[in-house]
Amino acid sequence: MNVTFLTRMLKVAHAHKIDTKPSVVAVSVSDRKGVLKENVPQVELVVDHGIRGDSHAEGGHRQVSLLALESIDKMRAAGAEVNPGDFAENITTQGLAVDKLPVGTRFRIGADAELTITQIGKTCHAGCAIRELVGDCIMPREGVFAQVDKGGVVRPGDTIEVFHVPGRPAHGQ
């Protein structure tokens, strides 16, 4: 599915207050660090590694990066011409304020993939392409990082289901 088309349709749904489930807007990878990521039709999440083929997939606690489209829209409102993947995020979400979820939150994307949030925000590195381009970068404030607990393929349009938030009772309790 065309990412631009999907983004437009989600904006229409949001503007008309049509109930939409949290979902993936774009998936993005790059072959080296410090550059904008390229949107791709799908990615494969690998347990304890990250996204197959992405330069940031090294294991550790920052295996996958996520940013909400709503955060990107803030930059657009400030005049920046930016799109999903431009902040070097792997997964762009819609309808879920990922930066408001605490570390330890577990969620499922699509049919199989499961992740746990391990870090909120980051220190922006010298030479950040976005900061140099537009004078600001939201990834340090609103981006999150996660580890892959269960692998799977993730595509634009996949739904996101949060199934564990630390400090909150599990479903049915």
Side-chain angles (χ1 to χ4, degrees):
M1 180 175 292
N2 181 304
V3 172
T4 305
F5 173 76
L6 181 59
T7 302
R8 277 199 320 252
M9 294 313 300
L10 288 170
K11 283 182 180 180
V12 168
H14 180 71
H16 289 73
K17 300 190 184 333
I18 298 169
D19 186 31
T20 58
K21 292 183 177 184
S23 62
V24 174
V25 173
V27 292
S28 311
V29 296
S30 62
D31 59 1
R32 58 191 164 93
K33 296 180 179 180
V35 299
L36 309 179
K37 292 194 183 286
E38 178 184 338
N39 294 328
V40 294
Q42 66 182 34
V43 292
E44 180 186 358
L45 275 62
V46 179
V47 174
D48 293 328
H49 180 70
I51 293 179
R52 186 177 309 280
D54 185 65
S55 62
H56 288 94
E58 302 173 335
H61 75 281
R62 288 176 33 172
Q63 298 170 11
V64 178
S65 58
L66 299 98
L67 184 67
L69 181 63
E70 294 83 353
S71 295
I72 295 170
D73 285 343
K74 290 178 191 176
M75 294 298 295
R76 289 174 173 164
E81 293 183 23
V82 291
N83 295 296
D86 287 355
F87 292 93
E89 78 278 8
N90 295 118
I91 300 174
T92 308
T93 66
Q94 166 90 26
L96 180 65
V98 292
D99 63 310
K100 304 297 186 235
L101 298 171
V103 168
T105 298
R106 297 195 63 218
F107 56 99
R108 182 175 301 106
I109 301 179
D112 299 314
E114 293 182 5
L115 298 96
T116 300
I117 294 179
T118 56
Q119 181 178 325
I120 313 262
K122 67 173 193 145
T123 302
C124 200
H125 60 83
C128 170
I130 287 296
R131 186 174 299 282
E132 289 180 9
L133 183 67
V134 299
D136 189 20
C137 181
I138 54 174
M139 198 66 185
R141 296 185 304 274
E142 300 184 25
V144 303
F145 295 88
Q147 70 182 24
V148 180
D149 300 321
K150 184 178 176 197
V153 173
V154 174
R155 299 173 183 88
D158 281 351
T159 58
I160 302 170
E161 174 193 1
V162 174
F163 61 86
H164 172 75
V165 178
R168 293 190 189 162
H171 234 25
Q173 289 185 339

XYZ file of all heavy atoms in Angstrom, residues 36-100:
484
model
N 18.761 9.863 6.884
C 17.323 9.622 6.821
C 17.094 8.173 6.425
O 17.858 7.605 5.653
C 16.666 10.550 5.797
C 16.977 12.050 5.914
C 16.270 12.815 4.811
C 16.582 12.577 7.267
N 16.028 7.596 6.930
C 15.709 6.213 6.573
C 14.756 6.200 5.383
O 13.997 7.134 5.163
C 15.090 5.481 7.768
C 16.099 5.267 8.888
C 15.598 4.270 9.897
C 16.557 4.100 11.042
N 17.742 3.340 10.728
N 14.813 5.129 4.620
C 13.972 4.958 3.438
C 12.759 4.107 3.799
O 12.889 3.067 4.434
C 14.784 4.260 2.345
C 14.006 3.982 1.088
C 14.824 3.208 0.063
O 16.067 3.234 0.131
O 14.206 2.561 -0.792
N 11.578 4.555 3.386
C 10.362 3.774 3.610
C 10.396 2.539 2.719
O 10.770 2.615 1.548
C 9.112 4.595 3.292
C 8.938 5.756 4.244
O 9.315 5.683 5.407
N 8.382 6.840 3.758
N 10.010 1.405 3.301
C 9.988 0.133 2.582
C 8.624 -0.524 2.787
O 7.901 -0.163 3.708
C 11.136 -0.800 3.049
C 12.500 -0.220 2.665
C 11.074 -1.058 4.547
N 8.259 -1.486 1.938
C 6.935 -2.125 2.058
C 6.756 -2.955 3.327
O 5.637 -3.089 3.819
C 6.835 -3.016 0.826
C 7.900 -2.556 -0.110
C 8.962 -1.905 0.721
N 7.847 -3.508 3.861
C 7.758 -4.309 5.076
C 9.145 -4.472 5.661
O 10.148 -4.266 4.979
C 7.147 -5.682 4.800
C 8.000 -6.576 3.919
C 7.327 -7.910 3.632
O 6.113 -7.992 3.508
N 8.118 -8.959 3.533
N 9.183 -4.814 6.960
C 10.446 -5.122 7.625
C 10.266 -6.411 8.411
O 9.152 -6.772 8.778
C 10.910 -3.987 8.583
C 11.284 -2.744 7.791
C 9.859 -3.679 9.634
N 11.383 -7.079 8.662
C 11.350 -8.278 9.485
C 12.023 -7.974 10.814
O 13.209 -7.611 10.857
C 12.069 -9.442 8.805
C 12.051 -10.704 9.643
C 12.878 -11.836 9.055
O 13.453 -11.666 7.955
O 12.947 -12.888 9.710
N 11.274 -8.122 11.916
C 11.822 -7.939 13.250
C 12.406 -9.261 13.715
O 11.757 -10.306 13.595
C 10.746 -7.474 14.224
C 10.480 -5.959 14.253
C 9.997 -5.444 12.923
C 9.509 -5.621 15.346
N 13.633 -9.209 14.227
C 14.363 -10.402 14.660
C 14.623 -10.285 16.161
O 15.132 -9.250 16.628
C 15.694 -10.533 13.886
C 16.468 -11.758 14.350
C 15.442 -10.569 12.383
N 14.296 -11.325 16.915
C 14.453 -11.339 18.368
C 15.895 -11.006 18.752
O 16.853 -11.524 18.156
C 14.037 -12.708 18.946
C 14.335 -12.785 20.449
C 12.563 -12.978 18.692
N 16.024 -10.135 19.765
C 17.327 -9.728 20.319
C 18.277 -9.143 19.285
O 19.494 -9.146 19.474
C 18.003 -10.893 21.052
C 17.253 -11.300 22.307
O 16.636 -10.417 22.933
O 17.277 -12.487 22.647
N 17.744 -8.624 18.200
C 18.578 -8.047 17.142
C 18.014 -6.709 16.667
O 18.705 -5.705 16.693
C 18.696 -9.027 15.972
C 19.517 -8.525 14.839
N 20.887 -8.371 14.923
C 19.167 -8.130 13.595
C 21.342 -7.889 13.770
N 20.315 -7.741 12.950
N 16.779 -6.703 16.196
C 16.170 -5.501 15.632
C 15.593 -5.802 14.266
O 15.058 -6.884 14.033
N 15.725 -4.854 13.355
C 15.168 -5.015 12.008
C 16.260 -5.510 11.071
O 17.307 -4.866 10.914
C 14.559 -3.691 11.508
C 13.323 -3.364 12.359
C 14.209 -3.782 10.029
C 12.637 -2.080 11.997
N 15.983 -6.655 10.456
C 16.951 -7.249 9.528
C 17.290 -6.237 8.426
O 16.420 -5.667 7.790
C 16.379 -8.522 8.915
C 17.396 -9.280 8.058
C 16.872 -10.583 7.484
N 16.263 -11.472 8.438
C 16.914 -12.288 9.277
N 18.228 -12.288 9.297
N 16.254 -13.077 10.097
N 18.593 -5.988 8.250
C 19.045 -5.089 7.188
C 19.161 -3.630 7.585
O 19.610 -2.808 6.787
N 18.791 -3.282 8.831
C 18.888 -1.886 9.254
C 20.213 -1.654 9.975
O 20.670 -2.508 10.738
C 17.730 -1.506 10.180
C 17.755 -0.030 10.520
O 17.577 0.790 9.601
O 17.974 0.304 11.702
N 20.800 -0.487 9.752
C 22.111 -0.176 10.335
C 22.095 -0.122 11.858
O 23.131 -0.295 12.485
C 22.625 1.151 9.778
O 21.742 2.200 10.148
N 20.954 0.129 12.464
C 20.873 0.216 13.925
C 20.619 -1.132 14.596
O 20.623 -1.214 15.823
C 19.784 1.211 14.344
C 20.166 2.627 14.081
N 19.813 3.274 12.921
C 20.885 3.513 14.808
C 20.289 4.494 12.950
N 20.951 4.673 14.084
N 20.378 -2.181 13.824
C 20.085 -3.497 14.401
C 21.384 -4.122 14.906
O 22.201 -4.603 14.131
C 19.426 -4.393 13.355
N 21.581 -4.035 16.199
C 22.812 -4.552 16.796
C 22.539 -5.281 18.096
O 23.460 -5.503 18.879
C 23.775 -3.394 17.095
C 24.146 -2.580 15.894
C 24.953 -1.343 16.261
O 24.847 -0.839 17.395
O 25.698 -0.869 15.382
N 21.311 -5.602 18.396
C 21.008 -6.138 19.708
C 20.969 -4.992 20.703
O 20.693 -3.855 20.343
N 21.249 -5.272 21.977
C 21.202 -4.214 22.986
C 19.777 -3.788 23.270
O 18.818 -4.479 22.926
N 19.622 -2.630 23.881
C 18.277 -2.186 24.274
C 17.640 -1.209 23.280
O 16.494 -0.846 23.444
C 18.297 -1.599 25.693
C 18.907 -0.235 25.773
N 20.263 -0.016 25.765
C 18.329 0.978 25.861
C 20.506 1.274 25.843
N 19.342 1.907 25.898
N 18.362 -0.804 22.243
C 17.802 0.117 21.242
C 17.742 -0.568 19.882
O 18.290 -0.098 18.909
C 18.643 1.385 21.184
C 18.440 2.245 22.400
C 19.298 3.468 22.476
N 19.626 4.104 21.218
C 20.237 5.269 21.119
N 20.577 5.927 22.196
N 20.523 5.772 19.953
N 16.999 -1.680 19.821
C 16.943 -2.493 18.606
C 16.063 -1.881 17.519
O 16.346 -2.009 16.334
C 16.441 -3.891 18.955
C 17.362 -4.619 19.906
C 16.763 -5.898 20.434
O 15.743 -6.384 19.958
N 17.401 -6.467 21.444
N 14.965 -1.241 17.942
C 13.991 -0.667 17.009
C 13.589 0.703 17.543
O 13.385 0.872 18.741
C 12.725 -1.563 16.901
C 11.688 -0.947 15.980
C 13.096 -2.963 16.431
N 13.476 1.684 16.651
C 13.031 3.021 17.071
C 11.634 3.287 16.515
O 11.292 2.859 15.412
C 14.017 4.084 16.588
O 14.153 4.038 15.185
N 10.836 3.989 17.329
C 9.459 4.314 16.954
C 9.194 5.790 17.202
O 9.721 6.381 18.149
C 8.455 3.495 17.770
C 8.533 1.983 17.614
C 9.329 1.375 18.749
C 7.148 1.383 17.567
N 8.361 6.373 16.364
C 7.954 7.769 16.497
C 6.532 7.879 15.982
O 6.180 7.274 14.962
C 8.893 8.677 15.682
C 8.664 10.177 15.782
C 8.987 10.692 17.190
C 9.521 10.916 14.750
N 5.709 8.648 16.675
C 4.315 8.838 16.264
C 4.209 9.852 15.123
O 4.924 10.865 15.113
C 3.476 9.305 17.453
N 3.320 9.585 14.193
C 3.052 10.533 13.101
C 2.615 11.873 13.679
O 2.938 12.926 13.130
C 1.976 9.974 12.164
C 1.615 10.852 10.974
C 2.814 11.037 10.046
C 0.450 10.246 10.203
N 1.928 11.839 14.797
C 1.492 13.081 15.443
C 2.688 13.949 15.829
O 2.606 15.179 15.779
C 0.634 12.753 16.672
C -0.696 12.085 16.339
C -0.624 10.561 16.124
O 0.489 9.980 16.100
O -1.699 9.957 15.955
N 3.811 13.324 16.190
C 5.033 14.075 16.486
C 5.604 14.696 15.217
O 6.044 15.852 15.221
C 6.072 13.163 17.136
O 5.622 12.705 18.394
N 5.595 13.938 14.135
C 6.068 14.457 12.847
C 5.191 15.627 12.411
O 5.684 16.638 11.901
C 6.089 13.340 11.788
C 7.127 12.274 12.181
C 6.373 13.903 10.394
C 7.079 11.011 11.351
N 3.886 15.509 12.658
C 2.958 16.590 12.306
C 3.267 17.888 13.049
O 3.045 18.978 12.525
C 1.511 16.171 12.551
C 0.991 15.197 11.492
O 1.613 15.098 10.413
O -0.028 14.535 11.759
N 3.801 17.788 14.270
C 4.211 18.996 15.014
C 5.320 19.721 14.258
O 5.325 20.954 14.180
C 4.712 18.631 16.410
C 3.650 18.155 17.367
C 4.297 17.777 18.687
C 3.341 17.048 19.594
N 3.994 16.602 20.849
N 6.253 18.962 13.730
C 7.347 19.564 12.965
C 6.825 20.164 11.661
O 7.283 21.221 11.233
C 8.435 18.533 12.683
C 9.166 18.042 13.933
S 10.051 19.345 14.816
C 11.289 19.791 13.613
N 5.861 19.472 11.044
C 5.261 20.006 9.816
C 4.555 21.325 10.105
O 4.645 22.271 9.312
C 4.273 18.993 9.232
C 4.929 17.770 8.633
C 3.890 16.768 8.206
N 4.474 15.643 7.479
C 3.854 14.505 7.272
N 2.626 14.311 7.705
N 4.461 13.537 6.612
N 3.855 21.393 11.244
C 3.145 22.615 11.622
C 4.123 23.774 11.847
O 3.758 24.938 11.667
C 2.303 22.377 12.876
N 5.347 23.441 12.221
C 6.377 24.463 12.425
C 7.080 24.844 11.113
O 8.013 25.638 11.117
C 7.402 23.973 13.443
N 6.628 24.245 10.011
C 7.168 24.604 8.703
C 8.167 23.629 8.110
O 8.672 23.860 7.012
N 8.466 22.557 8.803
C 9.435 21.586 8.282
C 8.762 20.663 7.270
O 7.637 20.219 7.486
C 10.016 20.757 9.427
N 9.439 20.401 6.177
C 8.939 19.457 5.175
C 9.561 18.097 5.474
O 10.616 17.754 4.943
C 9.286 19.942 3.773
C 8.557 21.213 3.390
C 8.858 21.647 1.971
O 9.260 20.810 1.141
O 8.691 22.847 1.700
N 8.900 17.347 6.361
C 9.420 16.062 6.827
C 8.367 14.971 6.648
O 7.166 15.250 6.584
C 9.861 16.141 8.300
C 11.099 17.011 8.440
C 8.747 16.668 9.188
N 8.859 13.744 6.573
C 7.990 12.592 6.339
C 8.411 11.437 7.240
O 9.491 11.458 7.828
C 8.095 12.160 4.868
C 7.558 13.214 3.939
O 6.381 13.528 3.973
N 8.431 13.789 3.131
N 7.572 10.403 7.323
C 7.977 9.219 8.083
C 9.339 8.700 7.605
O 9.608 8.657 6.408
C 6.858 8.214 7.787
C 5.650 9.083 7.587
C 6.190 10.271 6.821
N 10.193 8.360 8.573
C 11.536 7.877 8.277
C 12.587 8.972 8.321
O 13.771 8.691 8.491
N 12.163 10.228 8.196
C 13.118 11.337 8.174
C 13.812 11.556 9.515
O 14.870 12.182 9.572
C 12.446 12.639 7.745
C 12.120 12.669 6.260
O 12.495 11.721 5.536
O 11.466 13.644 5.822
N 13.218 11.067 10.601
C 13.828 11.220 11.921
C 14.624 9.972 12.302
O 14.972 9.781 13.453
C 12.760 11.543 12.971
C 12.169 12.905 12.767
C 11.016 13.055 12.012
C 12.779 14.036 13.290
C 10.471 14.319 11.792
C 12.245 15.295 13.072
C 11.089 15.441 12.323
N 14.889 9.135 11.305
C 15.637 7.887 11.470
C 14.883 6.864 12.304
O 15.476 5.938 12.834
C 17.037 8.132 12.028
N 13.552 7.031 12.409
C 12.754 6.023 13.120
C 12.483 4.850 12.191
O 12.347 5.027 10.984
C 11.438 6.614 13.651
C 10.323 6.794 12.639
C 10.404 8.053 11.783
O 11.429 8.770 11.854
O 9.453 8.311 11.034
N 12.436 3.662 12.776
C 12.128 2.461 12.000
C 10.643 2.299 11.762
O 10.231 1.850 10.688
C 12.611 1.199 12.729
C 14.105 1.133 12.863
O 14.616 1.118 13.973
N 14.816 1.078 11.765
N 9.841 2.617 12.787
C 8.395 2.411 12.690
C 7.700 3.712 13.060
O 7.922 4.266 14.138
C 7.933 1.267 13.626
C 8.627 -0.043 13.233
C 6.408 1.127 13.576
C 8.347 -1.207 14.171
N 6.880 4.210 12.141
C 6.079 5.401 12.401
C 4.674 4.926 12.729
O 4.083 4.160 11.975
C 6.044 6.333 11.172
O 7.392 6.587 10.737
C 5.364 7.646 11.508
N 4.167 5.389 13.886
C 2.851 4.954 14.359
C 1.813 6.052 14.159
O 2.162 7.217 13.942
C 2.902 4.589 15.853
O 3.167 5.780 16.616
C 3.967 3.549 16.133
N 0.552 5.674 14.271
C -0.573 6.623 14.207
C -1.545 6.229 15.303
O -1.835 5.042 15.482
C -1.262 6.505 12.846
C -2.628 7.163 12.766
C -2.562 8.605 12.332
O -1.618 8.995 11.658
N -3.543 9.381 12.691
N -2.012 7.205 16.072
C -3.046 6.926 17.066
C -2.529 6.365 18.374
O -3.312 5.886 19.189
N -1.225 6.422 18.606
C -0.636 5.927 19.843
C 0.521 6.850 20.221
O 1.503 6.952 19.491
C -0.117 4.497 19.672
C 0.523 3.849 20.894
C -0.501 3.662 22.003
C 1.132 2.504 20.516
N 0.377 7.541 21.358
C 1.427 8.447 21.833
C 2.534 7.611 22.458
O 2.583 7.423 23.671
C 0.847 9.446 22.826
N 3.423 7.092 21.619
C 4.452 6.169 22.101
C 5.340 6.799 23.172
O 5.810 6.098 24.070
C 5.308 5.596 20.940
C 4.483 4.679 20.066
C 5.966 6.694 20.127
N 5.544 8.110 23.101
C 6.406 8.775 24.085
C 5.760 8.891 25.460
O 6.433 9.206 26.438
C 6.824 10.164 23.584
C 5.641 11.098 23.398
O 4.653 10.688 22.751
O 5.708 12.237 23.886
N 4.478 8.624 25.564
C 3.772 8.686 26.849
C 3.709 7.318 27.531
O 3.271 7.212 28.669
C 2.344 9.211 26.655
C 2.262 10.562 25.964
C 2.917 11.652 26.758
C 2.699 13.001 26.129
N 3.901 13.738 25.855
